[in-house]
Amino acid sequence: MPLHKAQKQFMQQSWLKILGKPFGKSQAEQLAKDLVHQDELCKIVLNLCFYQNQQIAFRAAWVLENLFTIDPDYFAEHLFAFLDCYAQQNNLSARRHFAKILALVSDKKAPMACAKLLKTYDTEVLVETNFTWLIDDAVPVAVKSHCLSILANLSNRHPWVREELLATMNHLLDKESIAFFAKVKQIRKQLRIK
């Protein structure tokens, strides 16, 4: 049964209070468990990933990542909504969680429910977004690391991505950290390039 507007507003206000205070990993996991089979609440938390308060948006994205980890089959029910708003994520801290989710969803070991849905989704915008994030100097290396994985994972669907990714990695090697270099080495191995 759909919730009334007042109920949705109450739920959003409650979550704003929860996400307005710092918390640790165990609380993030518990909050994610609270989302399972709560469709309206999942929509609210996904929307809060774009909240103007950067910390609230970051914490909402962290909870969302934990939801994927805890129950990927349930997350799959919200996958298209997540993918549809992926490119609009401008909060650098929230991007880390968004990119990690997409890296896991696009991985060859992804849970079957997510993998099946991703096959039916037009991933061109996701590819473009991850290339944009990858070359942006303001984007942290942790996000870029996930972008590399996503692009390598999607290169089978978009043949042009492989060559472009290799050229981009080569260009960025001198500009990024040792951690980035290690990830590039891993991605080259995944793409079977020495």
Side-chain angles (χ1 to χ4, degrees):
M1 189 163 93
L3 294 175
H4 295 293
K5 186 176 180 179
Q7 290 173 305
K8 289 180 185 179
Q9 287 176 333
F10 177 77
M11 289 171 71
Q12 181 169 336
Q13 290 305 315
S14 297
W15 272 77
L16 280 170
K17 285 181 185 176
I18 292 167
L19 298 173
K21 299 175 187 165
F23 53 76
K25 182 167 177 48
S26 61
Q27 189 173 1
E29 290 171 350
Q30 184 56 54
L31 290 168
K33 288 176 186 174
D34 293 344
L35 294 179
V36 177
H37 304 297
Q38 301 293 324
D39 292 342
E40 289 298 328
L41 196 50
C42 281
K43 292 174 189 174
I44 288 169
V45 172
L46 180 57
N47 286 335
L48 290 175
C49 291
F50 297 89
Y51 198 69
Q52 67 264 19
N53 178 301
Q54 299 281 301
Q55 289 300 312
I56 288 174
F58 154 73
R59 292 182 192 115
W62 188 20
V63 170
L64 203 65
E65 179 194 327
N66 278 278
L67 174 62
F68 172 81
T69 305
I70 289 166
D71 197 334
D73 290 336
Y74 178 68
F75 185 89
E77 295 176 25
H78 299 274
L79 182 60
F80 286 163
F82 170 78
L83 296 175
D84 286 346
C85 68
Y86 182 87
Q88 282 78 49
Q89 184 54 262
N90 292 319
N91 178 322
L92 294 178
S93 297
R95 274 187 189 176
R96 181 177 185 166
H97 300 291
F98 269 51
K100 184 173 181 183
I101 292 169
L102 186 53
L104 294 169
V105 165
S106 62
D107 190 87
K108 64 182 177 184
K109 297 176 191 170
M112 190 176 300
C114 291
K116 284 173 73 174
L117 287 171
L118 188 63
K119 283 182 183 178
T120 67
Y121 192 84
D122 181 4
T123 55
E124 189 73 33
V125 170
L126 300 174
V127 168
E128 291 171 11
T129 299
N130 282 284
F131 268 119
T132 300
W133 291 0
L134 185 59
I135 61 172
D136 186 342
D137 292 337
V139 173
V141 72
V143 176
K144 291 183 179 196
S145 176
H146 294 311
C147 289
L148 290 173
S149 294
I150 293 162
L151 292 165
N153 294 343
L154 294 177
S155 66
N156 291 336
R157 286 183 65 179
H158 305 280
W160 64 269
V161 167
R162 188 174 183 273
E163 291 305 316
E164 189 66 32
L165 180 57
L166 290 171
T168 304
M169 288 189 306
N170 289 337
H171 174 73
L172 293 174
L173 270 177
D174 293 335
K175 298 179 178 187
E176 296 293 338
S177 68
I178 298 295
F180 185 84
F181 180 79
K183 185 66 176 190
V184 165
K185 192 173 177 182
Q186 177 189 343
I187 295 300
R188 282 186 174 154
K189 187 175 180 183
Q190 179 181 340
L191 297 173
R192 291 179 173 70
I193 304 222
K194 298 195 178 184

